[in-house]
Each structure stands twice: as C-alpha cells, then as structure tokens.
Amino acid sequence: NNYTTQNGGISYRNGNRDKQISIGINFQYSKLSSDQQFPRTGSIDKSFTDILPNFQFRKKLSMRSSINVFLRTSVSPPSVSQLQNVYNVNNPLVISIGNPDLRQQYTGSLVARYTFTNTQKGQSFFANFFLQKTNDYISNAVYHAQNDSVLAPTVTLLSGGQLTVPVNLDGYWSARSLFTFGQPVKLIKSNLNLNAGVTYSRLPGLIDKEKILTNN
C-alpha cells in the first residue's frame, strides 16, 4: 500500500516583533495505490487534489501577555485495513470488511493560545483552545442481519449478527480547552500549578442506514 503526495503553496507574511499576520494556501496532489494478492487479487489506484489554506496571527498585548491564533488544514488517507475488501470472520456474529471506495479525510484545525507571565512574581497563566472539523470522516456503518445472509460463497452472516463497514461521513467536530495557572508558594518553597479543561466531540455513525451522532 503506497500513499505519495506532492505539495506546494504560497504565503504572505507581514508584521513586526509585536504583531504579525500570515496567510497562505497550498495545493496538494495525492496518489493512493494498493495491490492485494490474497484471498483474491485486486488493486486500488486513486488520486486526490486538495486546496489547503492556512492562517496565523500573533499579537503582543502587553509586556507580559500575548495571543496566538493558528488555522491549519490537512488530509489523511484511509489505512490498509480500512481499504481491504476482505471479510474478517474471527467472530461469526460480528463480521467486518474494508471499503475500497473510501476517500481521504479533510481536517481543519483552529488553535488559539493566550499567555501571561509575571516574572517578578513568578506567576504564569496559559489558556489554550482547540477546534477541529473533519469532512469525509472515516466512521463505521453497522448493519444487523434480520435473517441468515450470504455475504460471499464461504461467508454467511447469521441472523442477529452484525456487519461493520468503514464509510465516509460528514459531521465530525471536536473542541478542547486547557487552562494552566502557576503561582509560587513561599510557605512550602514550591510552585503551585492548577489545571482545568473541557473536551467535547461529536462523532457521526451509521446504523442500519440511519445516521447517528454521538456527543461526548
């Protein structure tokens, strides 16, 4: 299984030591090829073209604080096991197979960071926010058999069993925050660090052709 990429782009940056902004765009050509010899011969040969924008902003708010914002886009291919159209029958009630028609995932990531440091008092505070959205997210489609179903000459899905197939679905989101505060404590001659954060994700799926969304 081979995945090769060619990537080129252009960006514009302007600013000084206290304020800087950069914006750019990349063009990427990717080629995915795979050869299968067992249990049957087959091959996969796909190509993808993607536009990948990027953005960066940094500003010094004061002598002690600054803010940084990043936007990145990227693509990632399906794995070998996700592409292989070979039935996995280790558990006859839960059979899985790959999907040669999978597309690569397209992900946009937004990161924002705020930093504050007071060197005289030894205090520090950091706030981080992460937001991610993925199109063509590779999830699982699950199908339940109402009756014994012949999937292949040597593979039968028994009634009540399930078949799992990877598919591309839109609707994936994730968000995460992290806060850290540091303060020296003279009484114990040590630093006290407090951390807090919140994580949220929304995962799309498919069960018996009905789209579902799982929120965590």
Side-chain angles (χ1 to χ4, degrees), residues 6-78:
Q6 301 290 333
N7 188 306
I10 187 171
S11 63
Y12 171 78
R13 184 174 64 180
N14 186 29
N16 51 38
R17 187 174 61 180
D18 296 333
K19 184 179 180 180
Q20 189 177 103
I21 188 171
S22 172
I23 188 170
I25 191 168
N26 282 19
F27 175 81
Q28 179 168 302
Y29 174 80
S30 309
K31 187 175 179 64
L32 176 65
S33 60
S34 178
D35 290 319
Q36 178 179 303
Q37 302 297 329
F38 181 83
R40 66 179 68 91
T41 59
S43 63
I44 296 173
D45 191 4
K46 294 183 177 183
S47 60
F48 308 94
T49 55
D50 297 283
I51 302 297
L52 306 174
N54 60 81
F55 172 81
Q56 178 180 351
F57 174 75
R58 179 179 61 84
K59 184 177 181 180
K60 186 176 181 180
L61 302 177
S62 67
M63 294 296 294
R64 298 174 178 174
S65 62
S66 64
I67 186 171
N68 291 268
V69 179
F70 306 88
L71 173 65
R72 295 287 185 271
T73 52
S74 62
V75 291
S76 56

Side-chain angles (χ1 to χ4, degrees), residues 26 34 44 90 98 120 142 152 157:
N26 282 19
S34 178
I44 296 173
N90 289 334
Q120 294 179 341
V142 179
L157 180 62

Side-chain angles (χ1 to χ4, degrees), residues 63-64 116-124 182-186 191:
M63 294 296 294
R64 298 174 178 174
F116 172 85
T117 55
N118 186 337
T119 56
Q120 294 179 341
K121 295 183 178 181
Q123 292 178 334
S124 62
Q183 167 73 53
V185 180
K186 295 182 179 180
N191 283 336

Side-chain angles (χ1 to χ4, degrees), residues 133-164:
K133 183 181 186 297
T134 300
N135 293 332
D136 287 329
Y137 177 75
I138 298 178
S139 183
N140 285 325
V142 179
Y143 304 96
H144 296 91
Q146 304 299 321
N147 303 290
D148 290 356
S149 304
V150 177
L151 303 178
T154 59
V155 180
T156 299
L157 180 62
L158 302 177
S159 176
Q162 70 178 41
L163 173 68
T164 302

Side-chain angles (χ1 to χ4, degrees), residues 1 34 36 44 77-88 96-100 102 138 140 164-166:
N1 188 67
S34 178
Q36 178 179 303
I44 296 173
S79 66
V80 175
S81 60
Q82 291 171 332
L83 289 169
Q84 285 180 327
N85 59 339
V86 179
Y87 287 102
N88 182 337
S96 63
I97 187 174
N99 181 1
L102 286 175
I138 298 178
N140 285 325
T164 302
V165 184

Side-chain angles (χ1 to χ4, degrees), residues 152-216:
T154 59
V155 180
T156 299
L157 180 62
L158 302 177
S159 176
Q162 70 178 41
L163 173 68
T164 302
V165 184
V167 293
N168 293 108
L169 295 174
D170 291 333
Y172 174 87
W173 283 89
S174 69
R176 182 163 55 95
S177 63
L178 176 64
F179 305 92
T180 302
F181 175 76
Q183 167 73 53
V185 180
K186 295 182 179 180
L187 181 63
I188 56 176
K189 298 181 180 179
S190 301
N191 283 336
L192 175 66
N193 292 295
L194 303 176
N195 300 290
V198 176
T199 300
Y200 165 79
S201 64
R202 186 176 73 170
L203 307 174
L206 203 64
I207 296 181
D208 295 330
K209 299 182 180 181
E210 292 290 335
K211 187 175 181 180
I212 62 170
L213 293 173
T214 302
N215 296 289
N216 297 317

